[in-house]
Every structure is written in C-alpha cells, then in structure tokens.
Amino acid sequence: ESLRDEEELVAAAVQQNGRAFRHASPRLRCDTHFARRALALDPASLPSASDDLRADSGFMLQALRSIGPSALEHAAASLLADRVFAIESVRLQGGCLDFLHESFRADAEVVAIAATAPVGPGWRVLEIAAEALRGDGECLLAVMGQSVLALSLASVALLEDRGFMLQAVQRDWQALRFAGDALRADREVVMAGAGGDPAAPG
C-alpha cells in the first residue's frame, strides 16, 4: 500500500503507461500537483484522476490542451454544463462543442466563439449547432467572419431576409450568391455588396 503512495515510483510507472495511475493511492489521485504531473507524463492517466479533479476547470483545461476535445469525455457532468467552462474550452478548441452539454449547441455566443477558435471545425461548427441557430442573424454574421461559406448552412428564411442580407453583403459581397432569388435581383442589396470592390458584381 505504501508503494502506491510513493510519488516517484508512481510517476515512473505512469511514464511507462499512463493507465498505471489508477493503481496510485487515493491521495495521489486527488493531488492536483501530482495529477497534473501525471497528465504531462502520459495523457492516458486522465481517467484515473479523482472525480473532484475531473470537475475542476483548471485541471480539465490543462487536459484539453494536452489531449484535445476528447479529454472532455472524462470531465464531470457538472463541468460540462458550466457556461464559463464552456466558453473557455471552445475558445481553445472549437470541437469541444461536441462534448459539452447539449444546451450549448443552442447558445449563439458559445457557437460563435467555437467557430472562430484557432483550432476546430471553423464555420462547420454550425453542422453540430442547434437547428434554430441557422436562422439566427447575429450568430451567422459572427460565424461569417470565419468564412462566408457559413451561409451555406443558413436557413432559407434568413437568406431571404433583406435586412440580414444587406448586412451580410456589406461584410462580404460573396454572400450575395447565397441570397434568395428576389434579393439577388434587388439593386440596393447588390450595390451594398459592391462596396467599392472592383471584383464585386455591380
């Protein structure tokens, strides 16, 4: 039993095989400093960290940086339902949205942050977002900042909304190709998209 509580011995075992962490003493599996060390030695140690640590935002964000979004498979349900943690995680990697509580798929701010994360699915995050967000103008405009192709996933109603399309084409004239037929023939919408760009339709 005492060997399971010997830090250097356990660390050596974890370095060889991260799953060995499950044989460590309860004290070590609950110890933030040692669990972080184990995680750095081998990410496979994560499932053996204590329940409290897997509910700890700082610890799980470190795991996310080491492993990627799949680290959240081992996070506590309470953490996955925490909005502050949700925002922090999708800001690091947009693909985390797939592992968070399903309510965040309908959260326009969380989805927009996920779309613009440095690592992740980018505008395609809308494919896993709630269907209702495809008709959310503010959300689509935010995701459009990553790529105008976000409009390929917008609702038909939104693409036929004159106010929305005026804003969209002002940001990127290529948005015009996704507009409804009537709006593609609307001179004001077309001119709003031109915006001085010689390549834009006029």
Side-chain angles (χ1 to χ4, degrees):
E1 183 67 29
S2 62
L3 294 179
R4 297 171 58 212
D5 199 48
E6 178 58 51
E7 293 191 15
E8 294 310 314
L9 186 63
V10 173
V14 169
Q15 189 168 24
Q16 291 295 315
N17 185 338
R19 292 177 177 81
F21 192 34
R22 70 177 181 267
H23 300 301
S25 67
R27 181 187 72 83
L28 289 182
R29 292 174 58 220
C30 292
D31 184 283
T32 303
H33 175 75
F34 188 80
R36 285 176 182 267
R37 181 182 177 187
L39 188 61
L41 289 170
D42 188 338
S45 64
L46 177 60
S48 300
S50 70
D51 291 347
D52 285 347
L53 284 179
R54 288 184 288 112
D56 180 84
S57 176
F59 179 74
M60 288 308 300
L61 287 174
Q62 179 185 341
L64 172 58
R65 293 185 184 97
S66 299
I67 302 172
S70 63
L72 300 188
E73 290 179 325
H74 307 290
S78 59
L79 190 61
L80 296 178
D82 183 281
R83 193 169 187 274
V84 173
F85 178 77
I87 289 173
E88 290 178 339
S89 62
V90 298
R91 184 171 282 129
L92 288 172
Q93 297 207 27
C96 290
L97 184 64
D98 216 11
F99 297 88
L100 296 168
H101 189 275
E102 63 180 11
S103 62
F104 294 120
R105 298 184 187 191
D107 187 313
E109 182 182 5
V110 173
V111 171
I113 292 172
T116 55
V119 178
W123 63 273
R124 288 187 179 278
V125 76
L126 288 172
E127 294 175 344
I128 59 174
E131 188 74 23
L133 286 188
R134 298 189 183 194
D136 185 307
E138 288 188 15
C139 182
L140 262 293
L141 289 173
V143 178
M144 247 189 77
Q146 209 274 336
S147 173
V148 71
L149 291 175
L151 295 184
S152 67
L153 296 173
S155 68
V156 172
L158 193 61
L159 297 176
E160 293 177 346
D161 184 294
R162 193 170 187 274
F164 170 77
M165 287 309 302
L166 277 170
Q167 294 182 73
V169 298
Q170 286 170 352
R171 296 186 182 208
D172 188 331
W173 67 266
Q174 294 184 76
L176 188 62
R177 66 189 172 102
F178 297 98
D181 292 343
L183 293 180
R184 285 202 302 273
D186 185 308
R187 180 171 176 77
E188 184 180 355
V189 173
V190 173
M191 293 304 293
D197 187 334

